[in-house]
Amino acid sequence: MEKEIHILKEKLARACRMLEMMGLIDHSGHISGRIPESRTFFIHPQQLSRTEVTPDAMAEVTLKGEWVGGKMSPPSESPIHAAVYQARPDVNCVVHIHPHYAILPSIAGIDLVPVCQHGAIFGRVVPVHADSEKITDFEQAHRLARALGTSRAVIMKGHGAVIAESTVEAGFVASFHLEENARLFVQASILGKPMALSEEERERASANTYRPSSIQKAWSYFTEKGRKASIFWD
Amino acid sequence: MEKEIHILKEKLARACRMLEMMGLIDHSGHISGRIPESRTFFIHPQQLSRTEVTPDAMAEVTLKGEWVGGKMSPPSESPIHAAVYQARPDVNCVVHIHPHYAILPSIAGIDLVPVCQHGAIFGRVVPVHADSEKITDFEQAHRLARALGTSRAVIMKGHGAVIAESTVEAGFVASFHLEENARLFVQASILGKPMALSEEERERASANTYRPSSIQKAWSYFTEKGRKASIFWD
Amino acid sequence: MEKEIHILKEKLARACRMLEMMGLIDHSGHISGRIPESRTFFIHPQQLSRTEVTPDAMAEVTLKGEWVGGKMSPPSESPIHAAVYQARPDVNCVVHIHPHYAILPSIAGIDLVPVCQHGAIFGRVVPVHADSEKITDFEQAHRLARALGTSRAVIMKGHGAVIAESTVEAGFVASFHLEENARLFVQASILGKPMALSEEERERASANTYRPSSIQKAWSYFTEKGRKASIFWD
Amino acid sequence: MEKEIHILKEKLARACRMLEMMGLIDHSGHISGRIPESRTFFIHPQQLSRTEVTPDAMAEVTLKGEWVGGKMSPPSESPIHAAVYQARPDVNCVVHIHPHYAILPSIAGIDLVPVCQHGAIFGRVVPVHADSEKITDFEQAHRLARALGTSRAVIMKGHGAVIAESTVEAGFVASFHLEENARLFVQASILGKPMALSEEERERASANTYRPSSIQKAWSYFTEKGRKASIFWD
């Protein structure tokens, strides 16, 4: 169990720095992971630069939002993570980012739909939480979790996105798939109305391109890339 | 006081190099800081490459635009800075940059409005100085300061922007918030008319996302990033 | 012959890493080369990060899709490569990538046409395979090969592209020419309807800008660039 | 005189590598400089990677296009340079590049006009050479020179641009000013019709922002940047 805990913290720290390398996290944004057989999760500290996050730096927070472990305090937006873990027993990783392309449709008041294989995993339309406010209390966080529902991601209007997944690796991969699909959606709109994938296309694409082996392949690629760019601590 | 002066010069030099790293300053553009209890400000020299600015290189200039300290002469656009310090006792840092996205609406003749949390701090509409000319005398500079009014930023049509803040850190952060909001505004326009934040949304966002601790967090993040990229002198 | 085989594997490994450096390959995408006087081709392994591909790592696959050489298994999309080699005796290099701009017209349901010299080599219109699904069996792969026909490239709707060429160097160069033309096509559409090159313009441009010496010049340039960025193994 | 010749070759080699660093030159594109008191000019060799150009590598070519000095042959497009030097005694530096944004208006069939200070130096409208063909003979090159006329730059439809200036430094600076203005022009078009600078604005901007000291400042900045990125030979 101790080893499992350590692996979780290490994956979170790697994912955080990789998301930063990819421009999906900057001075803000965070990724958390549910601690197995526990009512708590790990998240990196509020004030620590996302390029400096290490496994040992993780804060431990309960699903009620109480800070119970680690030397540095968790982000004020921790209720987002806690509320999603409360609402979704299937979720073990929550990512909150401010992805440029993914929030553009919410600014223009239109639906973001899947237009490519990697977008298929987000369903017919990516749901939107209509309030652009920074979320720091549970009342707001529960509303956000309701907007997320059973989806893999929810957009916060003109603000950001929350991604909910079963593993850290999948949370990481789904995060850039969301942005990749949005970038295609927005830029195809220069040419005309983008054609959404049909239900059948979505089902086939999800089954074929989001397997554990695909997720592992993407994780390995970015880990290797990060290593070459010396973004890690080891 | 001597220590305070040194810290100011150091912050300005760091901010200058960080803005360059972020693409907001290139061969031109500058950031200045008011010297406490004085009628002068520091600004980096005209001919010194923005990647080479050090604390010791700062020129000292009076609010009347006279060069009174430092070995290298100040930029010819120094009257911009002087005029803003004259008009705005609350302002201790002035940034003049040529941000790509922020000037696009002025080229198309439309208003730049806040569409995201970070844009909320610029008010209902970012004011525009309608003259695209390079500003090197006080007559022009006073007109620009009037266009700025009590705002945090003013756009110079088809040319650039001036950001006015109470500290160097806030001037730095507001600079990239201005560009971030503009990039969202322009690219959302591919999809439809961007929805401006309401007054209530602007007030809540300003209060929640532009606190001293948020500004410090962003400053630390980019300082750390700059250190890793070896952009500083130390 | 042994030397020829080694050179082929080395070129494929270099091309793979260069396409990754240019953003045309990431965690997925592949380039393969037909083995002379044989019914097999080389392709880099499925699970190996594209930044780690070496000449020795190549898998050998028959035109029927059987894995017959190398320690690591080939990509599940290998039938794409096999089917194109079957259908096109003139083709000795197949590239499958997910180029951002090149797939945008297929998402908007419009034709991608040549608008610049480098786009001229793709004919009047780049053909489209209307199925966005990931291709892992021969039935799909043969349909894709039919959509390709005698062209140099085919777009897979909302998914990717396949480029077919006579040499590894030409396959590499045609890949970024396809994306370069598409980026011009999409962004010119901001201004108005892009004017396609006429048949005469296409013929002159193909003859003048896609000679063996031009291809070699581009290959040398990117090889040198890769060397400076330390992307290779040697 | 020997020293002057050496300085010219050194500036050309630096400018070539800096244009490559800025994405304005890649596997093709070139910059040349007229040799004072001579009917010849220097240009870097056709097959040498633009990241490898050194002062010693320069080819010497007559205004009639004859290769008379240097070990490696000049580009096949050298007639472009020769024809401009013939037609324009005021020109001592010619740049031929393929700038992405600057050619977009010619693909959409609309005029590229100055919308910012740095664009003002190109006059009311940037002239267009309507033939997209690669230019390798004098008949074509003379037509291009006529399209250039007395301007600082001419666009080659769907292909590239030629910039003509009095010094290497100015040729370098005008090259990225052309692209900078075009990028603003194209992206402002997302929002509405870009407003061209008036004649008066153009005159004031040219006089104020394109002085020898401004050109030198930009040259120094990019030289310093190139040095930090280790792009030079020394």
Side-chain angles (χ1 to χ4, degrees):
Chain A
M1 187 65 189
E2 204 177 311
K3 203 185 156 190
E4 201 178 336
I5 294 283
H6 181 74
I7 288 173
L8 173 60
K9 291 199 280 190
E10 193 181 312
K11 280 183 186 170
L12 285 172
R14 287 204 196 284
C16 176
R17 294 195 185 200
M18 293 193 289
L19 288 168
E20 198 278 335
M21 172 179 72
M22 299 160 80
L24 289 171
I25 274 183
D26 51 16
H27 53 98
S28 61
H30 13 84
I31 178 167
S32 70
R34 192 198 287 266
I35 303 177
E37 298 167 36
S38 157
R39 301 277 300 160
T40 58
F41 62 92
F42 286 128
I43 190 165
H44 44 90
Q46 175 167 43
Q47 288 292 338
L48 186 61
S49 167
R50 275 60 172 153
T51 62
E52 296 295 288
V53 170
T54 55
D56 291 345
M58 293 296 156
E60 187 174 345
V61 179
T62 71
L63 297 203
K64 290 182 175 165
E66 296 148 336
W67 173 28
V68 294
K71 287 176 195 153
M72 299 177 74
S73 63
S76 58
E77 284 164 304
S78 294
I80 294 176
H81 299 256
V84 174
Y85 289 125
Q86 282 183 29
R88 291 274 297 271
D90 61 313
V91 165
N92 297 307
C93 175
V94 174
V95 188
H96 171 44
I97 52 177
H98 308 91
H100 178 75
Y101 288 100
I103 68 175
L104 293 174
S106 72
I107 291 174
I110 67 170
D111 283 342
L112 174 58
V113 297
V115 294
C116 71
Q117 290 194 325
H118 291 157
I121 59 172
F122 300 104
R124 197 181 59 79
V125 176
V126 188
V128 174
H129 175 70
D131 190 338
S132 71
E133 195 168 14
K134 185 175 176 176
I135 292 182
T136 54
D137 66 43
F138 272 91
E139 194 194 312
Q140 300 165 304
H142 287 313
R143 267 192 287 131
L144 176 70
R146 280 195 295 275
L148 171 66
T150 59
S151 299
R152 231 181 216 104
V154 62
I155 304 297
M156 301 153 89
K157 183 181 80 92
H159 168 177
V162 169
I163 294 94
E165 257 295 356
S166 58
T167 67
V168 174
E169 291 91 329
F172 166 75
V173 171
S175 295
F176 70 78
H177 280 0
L178 178 69
E179 182 67 344
E180 181 188 347
N181 181 72
R183 190 177 164 223
L184 289 167
F185 176 81
V186 171
Q187 299 192 330
S189 301
I190 293 171
L191 302 170
K193 191 174 160 55
M195 297 180 298
L197 295 191
S198 68
E199 188 176 350
E200 191 222 335
E201 284 178 307
R202 290 201 313 273
E203 275 167 20
R204 284 189 297 163
S206 300
N208 285 335
T209 64
Y210 200 65
R211 300 177 182 174
S213 67
S214 322
I215 291 167
Q216 189 54 47
K217 190 171 66 151
W219 176 267
S220 299
Y221 166 76
F222 285 105
T223 306
E224 196 54 59
K225 217 172 155 67
R227 208 159 264 147
K228 291 199 171 175
S230 303
I231 68 164
F232 300 124
W233 56 88
D234 55 0
Chain B
M1 187 63 189
E2 204 177 314
K3 202 185 157 190
E4 201 179 336
I5 293 284
H6 180 74
I7 288 173
L8 173 60
K9 291 198 280 189
E10 192 180 312
K11 281 182 186 170
L12 285 172
R14 287 203 196 285
C16 176
R17 294 194 185 201
M18 293 194 288
L19 289 168
E20 198 278 336
M21 172 179 72
M22 299 162 79
L24 289 171
I25 273 183
D26 52 16
H27 53 99
S28 60
H30 14 84
I31 179 167
S32 71
R34 192 197 288 266
I35 304 178
E37 298 166 39
S38 158
R39 300 278 300 161
T40 58
F41 61 92
F42 287 128
I43 190 164
H44 44 90
Q46 174 167 42
Q47 289 292 336
L48 186 61
S49 168
R50 275 59 172 155
T51 61
E52 297 295 289
V53 170
T54 55
D56 291 345
M58 293 296 156
E60 186 173 347
V61 180
T62 71
L63 298 203
K64 289 182 175 165
E66 297 147 335
W67 173 27
V68 294
K71 287 177 193 151
M72 299 177 74
S73 62
S76 58
E77 284 164 303
S78 293
I80 294 176
H81 299 256
V84 174
Y85 290 125
Q86 282 183 29
R88 293 275 298 271
D90 60 315
V91 165
N92 297 306
C93 175
V94 174
V95 187
H96 170 43
I97 51 178
H98 308 91
H100 178 76
Y101 287 101
I103 68 176
L104 292 175
S106 72
I107 291 174
I110 67 170
D111 283 343
L112 174 57
V113 296
V115 295
C116 71
Q117 289 193 326
H118 292 157
I121 58 172
F122 300 104
R124 197 181 60 78
V125 176
V126 188
V128 175
H129 174 69
D131 190 337
S132 71
E133 194 166 17
K134 185 173 176 177
I135 292 182
T136 53
D137 67 42
F138 271 91
E139 194 196 310
Q140 300 166 303
H142 287 314
R143 268 192 288 131
L144 175 71
R146 280 195 295 275
L148 172 66
T150 59
S151 300
R152 231 181 217 104
V154 62
I155 304 296
M156 301 152 89
K157 183 180 81 89
H159 169 176
V162 168
I163 294 94
E165 258 294 356
S166 58
T167 67
V168 175
E169 292 92 328
F172 166 75
V173 171
S175 295
F176 70 79
H177 280 1
L178 179 68
E179 183 67 344
E180 181 188 347
N181 180 72
R183 190 177 163 223
L184 289 166
F185 176 81
V186 171
Q187 299 193 329
S189 301
I190 292 172
L191 302 170
K193 191 174 159 57
M195 297 180 297
L197 296 190
S198 67
E199 187 175 351
E200 191 222 338
E201 284 178 308
R202 289 202 313 272
E203 274 168 20
R204 283 189 298 161
S206 299
N208 284 337
T209 65
Y210 199 67
R211 299 178 184 173
S213 67
S214 323
I215 291 168
Q216 189 54 47
K217 189 171 67 151
W219 176 267
S220 298
Y221 167 76
F222 284 107
T223 305
E224 198 52 61
K225 216 172 156 66
R227 208 161 265 147
K228 291 198 170 177
S230 303
I231 68 164
F232 299 124
W233 56 88
D234 54 1
Chain C
M1 187 65 188
E2 205 177 311
K3 202 185 156 190
E4 201 179 334
I5 293 284
H6 181 75
I7 289 173
L8 173 60
K9 291 200 280 189
E10 192 180 313
K11 280 182 186 170
L12 286 173
R14 287 204 196 285
C16 176
R17 294 195 185 200
M18 293 194 289
L19 288 168
E20 198 277 336
M21 171 179 73
M22 298 160 80
L24 289 171
I25 274 184
D26 50 18
H27 54 97
S28 61
H30 13 85
I31 179 166
S32 71
R34 191 197 290 266
I35 304 178
E37 297 167 38
S38 156
R39 302 277 300 161
T40 58
F41 61 92
F42 286 128
I43 190 164
H44 43 89
Q46 175 168 42
Q47 289 292 337
L48 187 61
S49 167
R50 275 59 173 154
T51 62
E52 295 296 289
V53 170
T54 56
D56 291 344
M58 293 296 156
E60 186 175 346
V61 180
T62 71
L63 298 204
K64 289 183 174 162
E66 296 148 335
W67 173 27
V68 294
K71 287 178 193 151
M72 299 178 74
S73 63
S76 57
E77 284 165 303
S78 294
I80 294 175
H81 298 257
V84 174
Y85 289 125
Q86 280 183 30
R88 292 274 298 268
D90 61 313
V91 165
N92 297 306
C93 175
V94 174
V95 188
H96 171 43
I97 51 178
H98 307 92
H100 178 76
Y101 288 100
I103 69 176
L104 292 174
S106 72
I107 291 174
I110 68 169
D111 283 342
L112 174 58
V113 297
V115 295
C116 71
Q117 288 194 327
H118 291 157
I121 58 171
F122 299 105
R124 196 181 60 78
V125 177
V126 189
V128 174
H129 174 69
D131 189 337
S132 72
E133 195 167 14
K134 185 175 176 176
I135 292 183
T136 54
D137 66 42
F138 271 91
E139 195 195 311
Q140 299 165 304
H142 287 314
R143 267 192 288 132
L144 175 71
R146 279 195 295 274
L148 172 65
T150 59
S151 299
R152 231 181 217 104
V154 61
I155 304 297
M156 301 153 89
K157 182 181 81 88
H159 168 175
V162 169
I163 294 94
E165 256 295 357
S166 58
T167 67
V168 174
E169 291 91 329
F172 166 76
V173 171
S175 295
F176 70 78
H177 280 0
L178 178 69
E179 182 67 344
E180 181 188 348
N181 181 73
R183 189 177 164 222
L184 289 167
F185 176 81
V186 171
Q187 299 192 330
S189 301
I190 293 172
L191 301 171
K193 190 173 160 56
M195 297 181 296
L197 296 191
S198 68
E199 187 176 349
E200 191 221 335
E201 284 177 308
R202 290 200 313 273
E203 273 168 21
R204 283 189 297 163
S206 300
N208 284 338
T209 65
Y210 199 66
R211 300 178 183 174
S213 67
S214 323
I215 291 167
Q216 189 54 47
K217 190 172 67 153
W219 176 267
S220 299
Y221 167 75
F222 285 106
T223 305
E224 197 55 60
K225 216 172 154 70
R227 207 160 266 147
K228 291 198 170 174
S230 303
I231 68 165
F232 300 123
W233 56 89
D234 54 1
Chain D
M1 186 66 190
E2 205 177 313
K3 202 185 158 190
E4 201 179 336
I5 293 283
H6 181 74
I7 289 172
L8 172 59
K9 291 200 279 190
E10 192 180 314
K11 281 183 185 170
L12 285 173
R14 287 203 196 285
C16 177
R17 295 195 184 200
M18 293 193 289
L19 288 168
E20 198 278 335
M21 171 179 73
M22 298 161 81
L24 289 172
I25 274 184
D26 51 17
H27 53 97
S28 61
H30 13 86
I31 179 167
S32 71
R34 192 197 289 267
I35 304 177
E37 297 168 39
S38 157
R39 301 276 300 161
T40 57
F41 61 92
F42 286 128
I43 190 165
H44 45 89
Q46 175 168 42
Q47 288 293 336
L48 188 61
S49 167
R50 275 59 171 154
T51 61
E52 296 295 289
V53 170
T54 55
D56 291 345
M58 293 296 157
E60 187 174 345
V61 179
T62 71
L63 298 204
K64 289 182 175 165
E66 295 148 335
W67 174 27
V68 295
K71 288 178 194 152
M72 300 178 74
S73 62
S76 57
E77 284 164 303
S78 293
I80 294 175
H81 299 256
V84 174
Y85 290 125
Q86 281 184 28
R88 292 274 298 270
D90 61 314
V91 165
N92 297 307
C93 175
V94 174
V95 187
H96 170 43
I97 52 177
H98 308 92
H100 178 75
Y101 287 101
I103 69 176
L104 292 174
S106 73
I107 290 174
I110 67 171
D111 284 342
L112 174 58
V113 298
V115 295
C116 71
Q117 287 193 328
H118 291 157
I121 59 171
F122 299 105
R124 196 182 59 78
V125 177
V126 188
V128 175
H129 174 68
D131 189 337
S132 71
E133 194 166 16
K134 185 174 175 178
I135 292 182
T136 54
D137 67 41
F138 271 91
E139 195 195 311
Q140 299 165 304
H142 287 314
R143 268 192 287 133
L144 175 71
R146 280 195 295 274
L148 171 66
T150 59
S151 300
R152 234 183 213 102
V154 61
I155 304 296
M156 301 152 90
K157 183 182 80 90
H159 168 175
V162 168
I163 294 94
E165 257 293 357
S166 59
T167 67
V168 175
E169 291 91 329
F172 165 76
V173 171
S175 294
F176 71 78
H177 280 1
L178 179 68
E179 182 68 344
E180 181 187 348
N181 181 73
R183 189 177 164 223
L184 290 166
F185 176 81
V186 171
Q187 300 193 329
S189 301
I190 293 171
L191 301 171
K193 191 174 160 56
M195 297 180 297
L197 297 190
S198 68
E199 187 175 352
E200 191 222 337
E201 283 177 308
R202 288 200 314 272
E203 274 167 21
R204 282 189 298 162
S206 300
N208 284 338
T209 65
Y210 199 67
R211 298 178 184 174
S213 67
S214 323
I215 292 168
Q216 189 54 46
K217 190 171 65 150
W219 176 268
S220 299
Y221 166 76
F222 285 106
T223 305
E224 198 52 61
K225 216 172 157 68
R227 207 159 266 147
K228 291 198 170 176
S230 303
I231 68 164
F232 299 125
W233 56 89
D234 54 1

